[in-house]
Amino acid sequence: MGKKTKKILDNSNSPFYKWFPDGTLNTSYNAIDRHVLSGRGDQDAIIYDSPVTNTKKRITYSQLQYKVSQFAGALTKLSVVKGDRVIIYMPMIPEALVAMLACARIGAVHSVVFGGFASNELAVRIDDCKPKVIVSASCGHEPNRIIEYKPLLDKAIEIAKHQVEKCVIFQRDTFKAQLNPNYDIDWNQIIKDVSLAKSVEVDANDPLYILYTSGTTGKPKGVVRDNGGHAVSLKWSMNNIYNVNPGDVYWAASDIGWVVGHSYIVYAPLFHGCTTVLFEGKPIGTPDAGTFWRIISEYKVKVLFTAPTALRAVKRDDPTGEYIKNFDITSLQSLFLAGERADPDTVLWLEDKLKIPIIDHWWQTETGWPVASNPLGIEALPIKTGSPTLAMPGYDVQVLSEEGKEVPRGTLGAISIKLPLPPGSLPTLWNADDRYIESYLATFKGYYETGDAGYQDEEDYLYIMSRTDDVINVAGHRLSTGAMEEALSNHIDVAECAVVGVYDDLKGQVPLGLICLNKGCNKTHEIVCKEVVDLVRNDIGPVAAFKSVAVVSSLPKTRSGKILRATIRKIADKVEWEMPATVDNPLVFEEIKKALKPLGY
Ligand code: COA
Ligand code: AMP
């Protein structure tokens, strides 16, 4: 189905570029129906493996077609039509994928919210994208506890100004939620007797989804993904970057709440006719550090994609790789890493233990697919540890100076991409064209600013060194220290605060907070610190991993009042630092050092 585009790029309204402006398609049709029609109906589309609930399940392309058409029918029954938004707040279960694909089938725009975010974050997203319906489940499973979704969802609905019409709740066998008769509907009830929904033809530039990601401020950015460029770029990447073929088993051990999950658990493997593995568990502790290798051997996984932090956890629990020896993982052709810097220690350990190419590649929620990689399907380039290799076709990556000039090779600068961005990358932010320009296009005229700093070597290999903004990367999860500071400031006893990302050998980075208390606060420091830790957990969610905070009498600032966060970070990381020339009160650093000691810094 769909109409071939006559034009490739419409640049008449730059910087709002449109790829394939007169093409039409349906994403769900391309991910499912096309394969059923070409004879892949009996092939597994999804293999669901959930050590946290002891469940394994296979869903063929034909079965997926039925489930998706049925749930799309249910959404239609709830009056969801093309262009309406649907929030999906679900654990890693097949129904989450079914809900995403069902939205795509009827042209509705989904917005998946990661389960580790608290009600407040969910409420912010509800108010921004104004969903007609929310799809959720009774619970999620963390290794040590069951997460009840309904109380989180109910609280978010209460906080949000936008009124959600209906919530569809999937009741899991492990825990049944109490439904609210005013707006909740049981998934299994609503799918009964519905008419199966057909794929709706949408324009290539119609939005497929909105995915919120952290920026400098507390307000997340709603990254928009269109249908056409998304399908083209992801399909292309499966062959050319990951070197997999239709029929192969591909596993992205991530979460559907993140872009890696959207692109490489759901859409790309299905566009390409692969079998995707949906894993509900952790790299360690469910039950042990052998889980990844067990899954690879059991399902003959050809390519694994995960975050370095997951493998650091495996390496820490099993440094000599004993678990690897228990499984036949000869099906594994290559391992791709992204989401954070791939530290050479972990990469070298993996090379030694697995004896396959370990490919670091670099991208972002905004780009939707790899900006820099080693394109194994085109040509396996020599690997340089510490580099995600070269810019992929479509990305004109340049490293710029503050003045916006390309810097010489080997010189650190702002990694930027010359416009237009390729198909698949964000066309704008949801309902926020101005913010899109301000956030990404305002610093360097004609370029998209990635927010990462780094350099290129003489052979154009890229090296990603750090962020240039307040984004930190905690266990592969992108978080905003600005958002955490906003949460801390809401505490009645906090006069001022700063949050920085400090080095952590497992999670890469973890947040560290410094707070100054209001005069007259008569609580002990210990009590206030516990309260602010709870506040961040309740406002942002457990995924923020905000556990370390110290009280100081003042924060180090420049004479113009800017908090010297970079210096605080260096002190905590115990790396060399120089007294900033413009600091207003040099003694404050001694106090910080003292305050951080009991926290292990
Ligand atoms: N729902 C509810 N809570 C969640 C959650 C979810 N979906 N995901 C994580 N959490 C909670 C965890 O239970 C934990 O809570 P705690 O403070 O009570 O222990 C907290 O959020 C932090 O979770 P996590 O980041 O998973 O850390 P961890 O210490 O439990 O595990 C790792 C460490 C390295 C094993 C884990 O972070 C990991 O597997 N990381 C890989 C991440 C990844 O794949 N990222 C995708 C980018 S490609
Ligand atoms: P996200 O939008 O959550 O995918 O996070 C994107 C950010 O993660 C990037 O801007 C980088 O800061 C970081 N990142 C992702 N992949 C890599 C990588 N391979 N090397 C270094 N940093 C990375």
Side-chain angles (χ1 to χ4, degrees), residues 276-294:
T276 185
V277 178
L278 177 67
F279 170 62
E280 188 184 25
K282 300 262 176 175
I284 52 169
T286 60
D288 53 40
T291 301
F292 272 26
W293 320 127
R294 193 261 303 159

Side-chain angles (χ1 to χ4, degrees), residues 404-481:
K405 297 265 172 327
E406 218 179 336
V407 297
R409 291 289 185 262
T411 310
L412 204 68
I415 305 181
S416 311
I417 304 167
K418 198 161 186 331
L419 296 175
L421 292 171
S425 299
L426 83 170
T428 189
L429 294 175
W430 181 252
N431 271 344
D433 285 349
D434 289 348
R435 191 173 179 206
Y436 168 64
I437 294 177
E438 263 163 50
S439 308
Y440 303 107
L441 311 183
T443 311
F444 304 116
K445 200 170 168 13
Y447 291 86
Y448 164 87
E449 186 185 9
T450 64
D452 284 315
Y455 64 94
Q456 271 177 311
D457 72 9
E458 294 297 336
E459 291 175 303
D460 292 340
Y461 276 58
L462 262 173
Y463 292 79
I464 315 296
M465 305 310 287
S466 60
R467 289 287 303 187
T468 55
D469 55 13
D470 298 332
V471 165
I472 59 170
N473 211 308
V474 181
H477 308 311
R478 175 167 158 182
L479 297 162
S480 159
T481 53

Side-chain angles (χ1 to χ4, degrees), residues 8-20:
I8 301 300
L9 175 68
D10 173 2
N11 56 6
S12 59
N13 185 31
S14 68
F16 300 100
Y17 298 92
K18 287 184 169 179
W19 287 101
F20 320 121

Side-chain angles (χ1 to χ4, degrees), residues 114-116 142 144-145 147 149 253-255 258 260 282-284 305-307 309-310 313 338-339 475-477 506-507 537 542-543 545 547:
F114 178 60
E142 282 298 290
N144 52 358
R145 63 190 192 282
I147 314 285
Y149 274 51
S254 175
D255 189 288
W258 308 115
V260 174
K282 300 262 176 175
I284 52 169
F305 175 172
T306 192
T309 189
H477 308 311
L506 174 65
K507 298 195 175 191
R537 193 175 171 93
V543 68
K547 297 193 170 158

Side-chain angles (χ1 to χ4, degrees), residues 358-385:
I358 310 298
I359 309 296
D360 178 17
H361 63 333
W362 166 68
W363 51 296
Q364 318 181 295
T365 305
E366 289 85 347
T367 66
W369 62 287
V371 183
S373 184
N374 199 327
L376 294 189
I378 301 176
E379 181 188 1
L381 299 166
I383 293 172
K384 297 190 190 180
T385 308

